Amino acid sequence: MSMNEARPVTAAALAIGDELLSGRTRDKNIGHLAELLTAAGIDLEEVRIVPDDQDRIVEALNALRSRYDYVFTSGGIGPTHDDITADAVAAAFGVACTHDADALALLGAHYAERGLEFTEARRRMARMPVGSRHIDNPVSKAPGFVIGNVHVMAGVPSVFQAMLDNVLPTLNTGVKIHSDKVSCPYGEGDIGDPLSAIAKAHPLVNIGSYPRFSGDAFSTEIVIRGGDQEAIAAAKTVVEAMLLNTGARLGPKAV
């Protein structure tokens, strides 16, 4: 991976499938993608979920690919009639969607080894926009593909994850993000003002507060993120001092 410190590297995710919107299937790919991109220093800034409708896919994809460095799609590249992602991506780029010769050979050999007929439905998984290059699929062999800044991958979590492992080394990356956390025994209402002041005074880090409720009292987890570990440590020291002052101000009853 190459390091790009001049500006953030940005990404978006586009999850495709009626089953996601109906609740029949719970998405497991977005969280995995976000975790790996964050670790690589790529900012996942937007996520959309759209149905199996070509016009909706094209509209969303064109909006996202023009705005972000990378777009990652999941779903809709299987063997059934409603797997229309390849056609939609081709339409978005204004190119034909055809059976890729290398993909046909790969899948044909795979099904021959298994003693299964290479049906027209299975041949559908070799269709991709003209000008695409493959994303290897070590799980079930049917490849994903890359065209422009768009990476098209399967919706099945195990396959998506395996494809993503092959994609990540090819990406430009940003500054690796580090994080540290401080456990706070007070609610956000008690620390909101001083924490906002700390955040403004430490622009090199991002400070997030996440409330928790144990059943009888509120507490907060404070997470400090950034590309500079010294800046994180400095902000953490100030946050910890603020919490000591808050305890002295509120007394033991506030805990």
Side-chain angles (χ1 to χ4, degrees), residues 9-10 21 66 85 88 91 104-105 112 114 120 132 134 142 147 167 175 181 224 226 240 255:
V9 180
T10 62
L21 293 167
S66 66
T85 296
L104 280 173
R114 297 175 61 192
E120 189 58 38
S132 301
H134 290 196
I147 180 169
V167 165
V175 177
K181 63 182 179 181
I224 306 166
E240 290 173 334
V255 178

Side-chain angles (χ1 to χ4, degrees), residues 6-47:
R7 64 174 183 82
V9 180
T10 62
L14 179 62
I16 299 165
D18 294 341
E19 68 278 6
L20 297 174
L21 293 167
S22 70
R24 292 194 305 273
T25 299
R26 293 186 179 182
D27 179 85
K28 296 182 179 179
N29 296 327
I30 293 171
H32 182 77
L33 176 67
E35 183 178 0
L36 267 61
L37 292 183
T38 297
I42 298 174
D43 297 334
L44 182 63
E45 295 192 349
E46 186 172 351
V47 173

Side-chain angles (χ1 to χ4, degrees), residues 1-4 7-15 33 36-38 40-48 60-74 93 133 135 145-153 164 166-175:
M1 296 186 186
S2 62
M3 183 64 71
N4 182 349
R7 64 174 183 82
V9 180
T10 62
L14 179 62
L33 176 67
L36 267 61
L37 292 183
T38 297
I42 298 174
D43 297 334
L44 182 63
E45 295 192 349
E46 186 172 351
V47 173
R48 297 193 190 188
L61 186 60
N62 280 336
L64 296 173
R65 71 187 182 95
S66 66
R67 187 175 300 147
Y68 301 106
D69 295 307
Y70 298 114
V71 179
F72 302 90
T73 80
S74 62
F93 279 86
R133 61 186 188 275
I135 298 174
F145 58 87
V146 183
I147 180 169
N149 62 341
V150 178
H151 296 73
V152 178
M153 296 180 285
L164 184 59
N166 287 322
V167 165
L168 282 172
T170 71
L171 304 178
N172 293 322
T173 61
V175 177

Side-chain angles (χ1 to χ4, degrees), residues 162-205:
M163 287 182 174
L164 184 59
D165 287 343
N166 287 322
V167 165
L168 282 172
T170 71
L171 304 178
N172 293 322
T173 61
V175 177
K176 185 175 181 180
I177 301 300
H178 306 277
S179 68
D180 203 346
K181 63 182 179 181
V182 179
S183 295
C184 165
Y186 313 110
E188 286 187 306
D190 294 319
I191 62 168
D193 290 340
L195 192 62
S196 294
I198 293 171
K200 290 180 181 179
H202 293 79
L204 295 181
V205 301

Side-chain angles (χ1 to χ4, degrees), residues 99-142:
H99 287 92
D100 179 85
D102 291 337
L104 280 173
L106 175 70
L107 289 171
H110 172 65
Y111 286 111
E113 289 175 4
R114 297 175 61 192
L116 297 173
E117 181 184 356
F118 192 23
T119 63
E120 189 58 38
R122 289 170 176 150
R123 287 170 59 89
R124 280 181 58 83
M125 294 186 291
R127 297 175 72 253
M128 56 187 66
V130 172
S132 301
R133 61 186 188 275
H134 290 196
I135 298 174
D136 288 339
N137 171 8
V139 177
S140 57
K141 297 302 180 181

